[in-house]
Amino acid sequence: MASSRPSKRPRKDESEDHPTVSTPESASPLVVFAHGAGAPSTSEWMIRWKEMLGKALHAVEVVTFDYPYMSAGKRRPPPKADKLVEYHSDVVRKAVEKHPGHPLILAGKSMGSRVSCMVANSGDFDVAAIVCLGYPLKSPGGGVRDEILLELTVPIMFVQGSKDALCPLEKLSGVLKKMKSVSELHVIDGGDHSFKIGKKFMESHGVSLEEAEETAVTAIAVFVAKAFG
């Protein structure tokens, strides 16, 4: 089953059940949601999570976009994450201008979550929270990419699959202990980098992917509500 592993936050009371963030319309968050390295904003995964986040957070809008390298259906390798910050920031700036006064949440899948952290760390925006879905902590060379995370001061939520090779949980737990930001980790047991759970695991643990994702989205909503509080 999915489980939450908070850092610097008390564990959510099991008696609580907050599937959505209850906020006045004027306080409904603006979410800018960035895709991962290998699939665009129009992928089935991104569309599904866009809808779930929008509903759970009562978002005024969930803005998705494609980085320039992801164009005309051509699959090209992405540039280094820091090369995407300027474009990402422009998207955020336009979204904020469209919805002034709404709390800003930066969310991302894999690479998109890493760039989101860089944008938040730039200091150009008043970011209320960051949501990282499958953060790619492990570099291609095998090292731990924690520099940006250790510099952050914005509340940050990680949702990770327990079998995600790009983010070994023991390494992430070590990083969380060193971070200045209020942070929380929600683990999707049996999930890979995109939270997919194998059939045998689901059968043996009595859980479905839909249930695991719903639990994760609820955990995100609770974290965001605390961040706003």
Side-chain angles (χ1 to χ4, degrees), residues 39-83:
S41 62
T42 53
S43 70
E44 186 276 334
W45 194 97
M46 285 290 295
I47 291 172
R48 186 173 76 255
W49 273 87
K50 176 182 180 178
E51 293 175 350
M52 290 192 295
L53 289 172
K55 181 179 180 180
L57 300 179
H58 286 173
V60 62
E61 185 177 1
V62 180
V63 176
T64 55
F65 63 96
D66 288 346
Y67 291 114
Y69 78 90
M70 188 77 68
S71 63
K74 297 179 181 179
R75 295 192 62 134
R76 295 182 292 172
K80 290 184 177 181
D82 58 359
K83 302 296 183 183

Side-chain angles (χ1 to χ4, degrees), residues 43-197:
S43 70
E44 186 276 334
W45 194 97
M46 285 290 295
I47 291 172
R48 186 173 76 255
W49 273 87
K50 176 182 180 178
E51 293 175 350
M52 290 192 295
L53 289 172
K55 181 179 180 180
L57 300 179
H58 286 173
V60 62
E61 185 177 1
V62 180
V63 176
T64 55
F65 63 96
D66 288 346
Y67 291 114
Y69 78 90
M70 188 77 68
S71 63
K74 297 179 181 179
R75 295 192 62 134
R76 295 182 292 172
K80 290 184 177 181
D82 58 359
K83 302 296 183 183
L84 300 172
V85 171
E86 183 177 357
Y87 186 86
H88 194 141
S89 294
D90 285 342
V91 172
V92 174
R93 188 171 293 106
K94 291 175 182 176
V96 170
E97 290 173 355
K98 182 180 178 182
H99 300 288
H102 289 263
L104 173 63
I105 298 175
L106 300 183
K109 166 71 173 81
S110 190
M111 179 194 72
S113 68
R114 189 159 177 255
V115 182
S116 293
C117 290
M118 293 178 178
V119 172
N121 207 38
S122 70
D124 292 338
F125 306 99
D126 183 10
V127 181
I130 307 170
V131 177
C132 299
L133 305 175
Y135 192 86
L137 184 64
K138 189 176 178 181
S139 71
V144 175
R145 296 186 288 198
D146 60 0
E147 295 85 357
I148 298 300
L149 297 179
L150 297 181
E151 294 175 1
L152 284 172
T153 56
V154 177
I156 182 168
M157 172 86 179
F158 296 90
V159 178
Q160 302 291 153
S162 64
K163 296 186 177 182
D164 184 354
L166 293 181
C167 189
L169 293 181
E170 67 277 7
K171 293 187 181 298
L172 179 57
S173 294
V175 173
L176 294 179
K177 293 176 183 178
K178 296 186 291 183
M179 287 176 61
K180 294 177 288 188
S181 296
V182 171
S183 59
E184 187 167 317
L185 167 63
H186 179 86
V187 177
I188 296 181
D189 287 340
D192 63 9
H193 188 54
S194 295
F195 311 148
K196 184 177 180 181
I197 304 173

